[in-house]
C-alpha cells in the first residue's frame, strides 16, 4: 500500500456520492473485522480520476481515527484497516478521495455496528418447552423494570427453530423466519435488533414465539420430522445501556414463563392453524397475569457455532390485490403473480367461525386449485375467529408458493392481499425492450428469483421440497447477480456449503445438506449425495459469478479452501484413471427429450458432463488460486485443466457433438480445441435452426447454449431460440400466462392440460413424488444472455465488478429499442439504444466514475460510427461519462419465429 503525497488542493467538482460496506445497510450486529468499503463518485470533470483515498471514522466515544491517505485508484472492497476493533459498538465511517485536482468532499457517513465478541457472550440459557412437531407454538415472556433514560438497547437472539420477538407488544423487526436457515449442525447465526425506542419507563415485557422452521418438523425429501433435533428453543438477551452509563441485561433463563396461545400449528410446508379463541389477550404486554404459565425447559445450545448473521433479510417486497374469480360457496382469488408469501385476509364473522385458505400456483378445470403439484405440502392456513365482527388474518411461521387461493368458511369475505417475501430484496438490474413478451419473460425471472431466495437459494417455493439445490443455484447465479444485490446472501450460503462439505466429506447436492441427514431410498442411512456434476460445481461457479459481477475478491478468498478441497476430492475420485467414473449423475437434468419420469436420463452422456464440469471447475480453481490463492496450486490446476480438456475432447468429443447440450458445454468450457470451434459451433447452430429454436437441453445445457451460439457468431440461431413461441421455449410460457419460470417447458401443455410430472422414483414412502413446479429459476439463466446481447451490457471477468464494462448490443430483427441499467459497485451503468427513422442505431451509454468501457456496436461493412458527434472506427474504449452514439447501417441479426 503506497501513501499519497501531501495534497492540499480541494477538488470541489468531485463528490463521493455513495458508500457501502460488504454487508447490506439494513443489517446490524456485524462481524468484528476490518470492513471492506466500496464507494461511488460523481464529478463535473470528465477527466477526473481517483489517485488516492482517505478513510476516517468516529466511534461512539467521539474518538476520530483518520487512516493515512493511500495512493490507489481502487473503489471496490477497499480494506478499512484499524477502524473496527470492539464488540457491540457503532462506528461511523466516511471516505474522501483525491483526484489529480485535489481532495473531494467527504462521502455520506455509514454506520458499522458490531455484534458480540462471541456466542459465549449470550449469557442466558436456551429456553423452550417439551412440545413436539405439530404441537402449539411455545410463547414466552418475562417482565422487567427500567427506570432510567435509555441511551441504547439491543436484543441479541438466536434459536433452534425460528423466532418472533416482541418488546412491549411491538414486534422488534419487519424480518421473517429469523435467524434463517444455515448448516445448523455446525453453524447457526444470531441476530441483533435495535430496540432503543421500544424500552419504556416502568415495567416492560420481553416476549417471544418460536416454531419449527427448518430445524425440526416436516422438512426435506422424505418428510423427516426431526431434521436437526427434536427440540426448539430460544436464546436471547436484551441489553440496555442507560444515559448514565449503567447497563441492564435481560436474558432468557429459567425465570421466564412459557405457555401456548393461538398458534396451534406452524409449518413451512403445511401452513399454519391459528385459533384466536385460544389467544391469551395482552400476554405480550406488562401487567399480564402469567401465574398459570409454566417454567421453561432448559435446552443446551452450541454457543461456539454462533456467528453474526450476514445474509440479506427476508422481508416483504410487494403486495398484490385480489381479483375474485368465483364467489359461490367459496372465494376463489387470482393475485396475478406467482409469489412466495401468504395472504392477508379480512373477513366479517362470528367468534368461533373457521376460515380456511388453500393455495396453488395454477388452476385446473372447475376452476379449482391445482394442488397435486404441491405433493404432500398442505399449504393451508386455518383460522378460528376470536370475536364477532371484522378480523384481519395472517398466518405465522409458514410461506406458500402461489398465485391463486381459495377461501372457505361461514365468515363473509371482505378483502385479500397477497404479501410477497424474499431475501432478494434489493434490485440492481433493469431491462426493457420493444418486445413485450421478452419484457414479461424478464419479469418472470425477476419473480422466480424473488420467490426462490427465501433465506437460502431454493429449487422451488411451493411443494414439499424448497431445498438449496446446488445445481439450480449455479445455473441462476450470474443472472441473479445482475438483477439483485445478493452478494452477502451468497457469501452466507457459500459458508454453509463449505461447513457441510467438511462435515459430509463432499459438496452436497443441496446446501444446507439436509439430504445427508435423511434416510436414503436404498440404504436407509444418511443419503450422502455429494460431488455431482453441475450441482457440486456451485462450489466454484457461484463464487466466480460473485467475483465477476460484484468484484468481490473477498468471496473468492472465503471459498478458496472449499474450492481446493472440491478439486482434490474429484481428483482422488478418479482413482488413478483419466476420467471420473460412470456413476449416478443428475446429468443435463430435465432434458425435455429424456423419459418423462426419469429426468436424469439426458441425451448427452452423463460421464462426459461429469468430466466436462470437472475440467471447468479445475479451470475456475486455477483462476481463483492465481487471484487469491497460491502460485503452486494455480500452476497445478492450470495444467490439470488443460490435460483434462484435451483428454475429454479426444475421448468424448465425437459423442458430444451429437447433442446440443454436448456442443454447448464443450464450447463454453473451452474443451473444444481452438481449431475446431467454428465447426462445432456450426453443428450446434444448424441443429438449433433445424429444430426452429425448440429447446433440447436441460438444467445444465440451457444456461450455456445461447452463449455458445453467440460467442461464435451465431446470432440467428440464438434469437431463433430466444424468441420461439411454440412449446419448449421461454416465450411459450409467457403466452401461457406464466408469471414465473417453470420446471418443465410444457408444465401446461398445448391443449391446456397440466403436466402430471410423473416420476419413476415414486416409492412407498413417497407415493406421490411427482415433479411439476411452476416456479423453478434455473431456466431463467437466459436473462444473463439478454443483458449481454439484447441490451448489450456486461461485466468483464478480467476486470470484475464492472470496473470494465462491455457495451455490445446485437439487435435481432424487429427490435426497435432495448435498454438496461445495472447499479454496479461503481454506480449506475446503462445503455439505451433504439433504431431511429433513418435506420441508424442511436444509443446513450453511461459509464460510472472509476469504470472503463468498450463500446462495441453491431457494425456492418458499410457502417460509420459516431461517439458524441465524432467519427470513430469500429470499437472504442471510453472512461467515465455519458456518450451519445450513432451507428449507420447497423448489422441486425435476422431470425424466424416459430
Ligand atoms: C429439484 C431440482 C433439483 C433436482 C435434482 C428436483 O427435485 O426440484 O430443481 O435440482 O431435484 O435432482
Amino acid at each position: 500500500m503506497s501513501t499519497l503525497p501531501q495534497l492540499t488542493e480541494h477538488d470541489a467538482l468531485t463528490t463521493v456520492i455513495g458508500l457501502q460496506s460488504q454487508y447490506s445497510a439494513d443489517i446490524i450486529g456485524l462481524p468484528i473485522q476490518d470492513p471492506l468499503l466500496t464507494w461511488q463518485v460523481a464529478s463535473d470533470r470528465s477527466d477526473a480520476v481517483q489517485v488516492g483515498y482517505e478513510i476516517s471514522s468516529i466511534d461512539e466515544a467521539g474518538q476520530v481515527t483518520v487512516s493515512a491517505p493511500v495512493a490507489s485508484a481502487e473503489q471496490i472492497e477497499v480494506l478499512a484497516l484499524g477502524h473496527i476493533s470492539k464488540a457491540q459498538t457503532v462506528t461511523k465511517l466516511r471516505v474522501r478521495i483525491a483526484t489529480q485536482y485535489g481532495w473531494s468532499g467527504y462521502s455520506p457517513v455509514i454506520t458499522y455496528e458490531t455484534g458480540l465478541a462471541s456466542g459465549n457472550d449470550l449469557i442466558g440459557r436456551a429456553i423452550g418447552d417439551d412440545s413436539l412437531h405439530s404441537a402449539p407454538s411455545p410463547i414466552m415472556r418475562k417482565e422487567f423494570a427500567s427506570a432510567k433514560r435509555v441511551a441504547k438497547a439491543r436484543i441479541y437472539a438466536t434459536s433452534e427453530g425460528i423466532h418472533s420477538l416482541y418488546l412491549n407488544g411491538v414486534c422488534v423487526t419487519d424480518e421473517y423466519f429469523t435467524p434463517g436457515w444455515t448448516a445448523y449442525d455446525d453453524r447457526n447465526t444470531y441476530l441483533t435488533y435495535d430496540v432503543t425506542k421500544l424500552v419504556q419507563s416502568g415495567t416492560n415485557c420481553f416476549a417471544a414465539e418460536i416454531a419449527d422452521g427448518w430445524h425440526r418438523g416436516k422438512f426435506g425429501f422424505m418428510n423427516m420430522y426431526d431434521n436437526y433435533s427434536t427440540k426448539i428453543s430460544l436464546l436471547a438477551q436484551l441489553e440496555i445501556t442507560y444515559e448514565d452509563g449503567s447497563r441492564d441485561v435481560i436474558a432468557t433463563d429459567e425465570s421466564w414463563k412459557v405457555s401456548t396461545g393461538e398458534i396451534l400449528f406452524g409449518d413451512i410446508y403445511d401452513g399454519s392453524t391459528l385459533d384466536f379463541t385460544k389467544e391469551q389477550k395482552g400476554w405480550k404486554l406488562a401487567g399480564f397475569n402469567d401465574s398459570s404459565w409454566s417454567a421453561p425447559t432448559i435446552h443446551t445450545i452450541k454457543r461456539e457455532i454462533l456467528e453474526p448473521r450476514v445474509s440479506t433479510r427476508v422481508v416483504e417486497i410487494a403486495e398484490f390485490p385480489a381479483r375474485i374469480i368465483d364467489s359461490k360457496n367459496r372465494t376463489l382469488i387470482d393475485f396475478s403473480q406467482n409469489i412466495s408469501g401468504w395472504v392477508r385476509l379480512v373477513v366479517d364473522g362470528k367468534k368461533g367461525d373457521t376460515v380456511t385458505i388453500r393455495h396453488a400456483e395454477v388452476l385446473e378445470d372447475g376452476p379449482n386449485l391445482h394442488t397435486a403439484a404441491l405433493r404432500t405440502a398442505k399449504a393451508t392456513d386455518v383460522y378460528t375467529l376470536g370475536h364477532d365482527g371484522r378480523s384481519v388474518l395472517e398466518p405465522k411461521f409458514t410461506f406458500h408458493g402461489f398465485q391463486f387461493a381459495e377461501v372457505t368458511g361461514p365468515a363473509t369475505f371482505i378483502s385479500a392481499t397477497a404479501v410477497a417475501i424474499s431475501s432478494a430484496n434489493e434490485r440492481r438490474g433493469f431491462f426493457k425492450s420493444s418486445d413485450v413478451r421478452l419484457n414479461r419473460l424478464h419479469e418472470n425471472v425477476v419473480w422466480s428469483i424473488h420467490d426462490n431466495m427465501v433465506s437460502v437459494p431454493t429449487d422451488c417455493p411451493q411443494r414439499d421440497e424448497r431445498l438449496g439445490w446446488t445445481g439450480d443455484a449455479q445455473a441462476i447465479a450470474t443472472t441473479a447477480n445482475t438483477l439483485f444485490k445478493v452478494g452477502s446472501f451468497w457469501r452466507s450460503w457459500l459458508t454453509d456449503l463449505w461447513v457441510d462439505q467438511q462435515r459430509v466429506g463432499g459438496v452436497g447436492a443441496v446446501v444446507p445438506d439436509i439430504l445427508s441427514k435423511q434416510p436414503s431410498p436404498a440404504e436407509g442411512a444418511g443419503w450422502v449425495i455429494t460431488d455431482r456434476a453441475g450441482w457440486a460445481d456451485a462450489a466454484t461457479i457461484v463464487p466466480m459469478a460473485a467475483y465477476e459481477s460484484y468484484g468481490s475478491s473477498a468471496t473468492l478468498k472465503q471459498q478458496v479452501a472449499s474450492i481446493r478441497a472440491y478439486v482434490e476430492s474429484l481428483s482422488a475420485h478418479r482413482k488413478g484413471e483419466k476420467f471420473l467414473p460412470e456413476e449416478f449423475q443428475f446429468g443435463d437434468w430435465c432434458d425435455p427429450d429424456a423419459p418423462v419420469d426419469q429426468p436424469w436420463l439426458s441425451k448427452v452422456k452423463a460421464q462426459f458432463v461429469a468430466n466436462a464440469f470437472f475440467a471447468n471447475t479445475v479451470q475456475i480453481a486455477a483462476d481463483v488460486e492465481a487471484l487469491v490463492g497460491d502460485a503452486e496450486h494455480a500452476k497445478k490446476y492450470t495444467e490439470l485443466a488443460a490435460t483434462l480438456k484435451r483428454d475429454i475432447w479426444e475421448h468424448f468429443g465425437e459423442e458430444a457433438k451429437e447433442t446440443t447440450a454436448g456442443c454447448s458445454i464443450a464450447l463454453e468450457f473451452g474443451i473444444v480445441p481452438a481449431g475446431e470451434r467454428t465447426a462445432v459451433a456450426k453443428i450446434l447452430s444448424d441443429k438449433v435452426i433445424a429444430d426452429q429454436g425448440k429447446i433440447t437441453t436441460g438444467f445444465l445445457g440451457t444456461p450455456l447454449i445461447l452463449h455458445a451460439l453467440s460467442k461464435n457468431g451465431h446470432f440467428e440461431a440464438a434469437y431463433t431460440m430466444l424468441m420461439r413461441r411454440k412449446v419448449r421455449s421461454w416465450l411459450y410460457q409467457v403466452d401461457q400466462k406464466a408469471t414465473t419460470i417453470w420446471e418443465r417447458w410444457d408444465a401446461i401443455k398445448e391443449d391446456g392440460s397440466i403436466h402430471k410430472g410423473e416420476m419413476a422414483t415414486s416409492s412407498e414412502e413417497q407415493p406421490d413424488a411427482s415433479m411439476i413446479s411452476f416456479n423453478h429459476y434455473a431456466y431463467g439463466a437466459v436473462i444473463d444472455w439478454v443483458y449481454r446481447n439484447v441490451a448489450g451490457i456486461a461485466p468483464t471477468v478480467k476486470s470484475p465488478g464492472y470496473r470494465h464494462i462491455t457495451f455490445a448490443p446485437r439487435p435481432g430483427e424487429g427490435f426497435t429499442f432495448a435498454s438496461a441499467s445495472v447499479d454496479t459497485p461503481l454506480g449506475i451503468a446503462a445503455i439505451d439504444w433504439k433504431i431511429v427513422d433513418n435506420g441508424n442505431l442511436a444509443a446513450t451509454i453511461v459509464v460510472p466514475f472509476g469504470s472503463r468501457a468498450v463500446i462495441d456496436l453491431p457494425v456492418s461493412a458499410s457502417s460509420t460510427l459516431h461517439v458524441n458527434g465524432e467519427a470513430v472506427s469500429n470499437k472504442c474504449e471510453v472512461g467515465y461519462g455519458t456518450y451519445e452514439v450513432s451507428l449507420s447501417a447497423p448489422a441486425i441479426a435476422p431470425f424466424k419465429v416459430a
Side-chain angles (χ1 to χ4, degrees), residues 28-265:
I28 60 170
L30 298 167
I32 306 159
Q33 61 180 197
D34 296 316
L36 297 169
L37 300 181
T38 297
W39 54 83
Q40 300 81 42
V41 176
S43 179
D44 286 339
R45 304 176 195 271
S46 60
D47 64 340
V49 288
Q50 177 182 311
V51 295
Y53 61 80
E54 179 200 85
I55 296 169
S56 52
S57 63
I58 176 161
D59 68 14
E60 275 173 52
Q63 175 74 43
V64 175
T65 307
V66 183
S67 298
V70 176
S72 164
E74 191 55 86
Q75 288 173 245
I76 301 177
E77 286 195 349
V78 174
L79 191 66
L81 260 178
H83 295 268
I84 308 289
S85 57
K86 287 199 208 104
Q88 295 176 269
T89 54
V90 180
T91 305
K92 292 184 172 147
L93 291 152
R94 64 181 187 174
V95 163
R96 62 175 179 161
I97 67 156
T99 70
Q100 69 271 44
Y101 299 103
W103 283 110
S104 72
Y106 286 100
S107 70
V109 167
I110 59 162
T111 57
Y112 188 99
E113 175 166 350
T114 51
L116 302 167
S118 90
N120 292 327
D121 287 357
L122 287 168
I123 57 166
R125 308 191 71 186
I127 58 171
D129 69 357
D130 293 320
S131 69
L132 297 170
H133 170 67
S134 82
S137 276
I139 60 175
M140 305 156 164
R141 69 189 303 279
K142 162 92 184 174
E143 292 193 8
F144 63 94
S146 165
K148 294 182 269 183
R149 287 170 70 91
V150 175
K152 174 178 158 187
R154 297 288 185 267
I155 291 172
Y156 302 93
T158 187
S159 46
E160 295 173 307
I162 48 181
H163 64 257
S164 291
L165 305 180
Y166 306 85
L167 201 52
N168 298 317
V170 180
C171 186
V172 302
T173 180
D174 58 353
E175 185 173 355
Y176 296 99
F177 304 106
T178 50
W181 189 11
T182 51
Y184 290 144
D185 293 300
D186 302 301
R187 186 173 101 93
N188 198 351
T189 59
Y190 70 85
L191 276 73
T192 304
Y193 304 103
D194 180 355
V195 291
T196 311
K197 295 204 176 89
L198 299 182
V199 181
Q200 62 196 24
S201 179
T203 311
N204 288 260
C205 178
F206 187 0
E209 295 162 332
I210 57 172
D212 292 350
W214 300 277
H215 190 86
R216 178 182 78 169
K218 180 178 162 183
F219 209 82
F221 243 44
M222 311 291 164
N223 293 336
M224 286 284 287
Y225 285 88
D226 299 320
N227 286 311
Y228 291 93
S229 85
T230 54
K231 307 269 185 224
I232 53 171
S233 66
L234 172 75
L235 177 63
Q237 74 197 25
L238 163 63
E239 297 194 17
I240 309 172
T241 310
Y242 296 101
E243 284 183 0
D244 65 6
S246 61
R247 285 173 77 237
D248 267 335
V249 178
I250 297 93
T252 48
D253 60 18
E254 41 282 275
S255 70
W256 283 55
K257 291 293 199 70
V258 179
S259 183
T260 57
E262 74 275 15
I263 309 173
L264 300 191
F265 181 69

Side-chain angles (χ1 to χ4, degrees), residues 790-794 802 804-810 818-822 828-834 841-849 851-858 865-868 872 874-887:
V790 180
I793 183 170
Y802 294 84
H804 191 272
I805 307 167
T806 303
F807 290 104
R810 291 294 179 269
S819 67
S821 67
V822 179
I828 304 283
I831 179 166
D832 182 350
W833 65 256
K834 52 181 172 296
L841 185 147
T844 306
I845 285 172
V846 179
V847 181
F849 186 99
S851 284
R852 294 203 54 82
V854 60
I855 298 178
D856 173 7
L857 295 191
L865 175 65
H866 286 82
V867 176
N868 288 348
V872 292
N874 283 357
K875 278 188 198 176
C876 66
E877 179 86 17
V878 295
Y880 172 52
T882 299
Y883 301 89
E884 297 300 337
V885 185
S886 173
L887 178 75

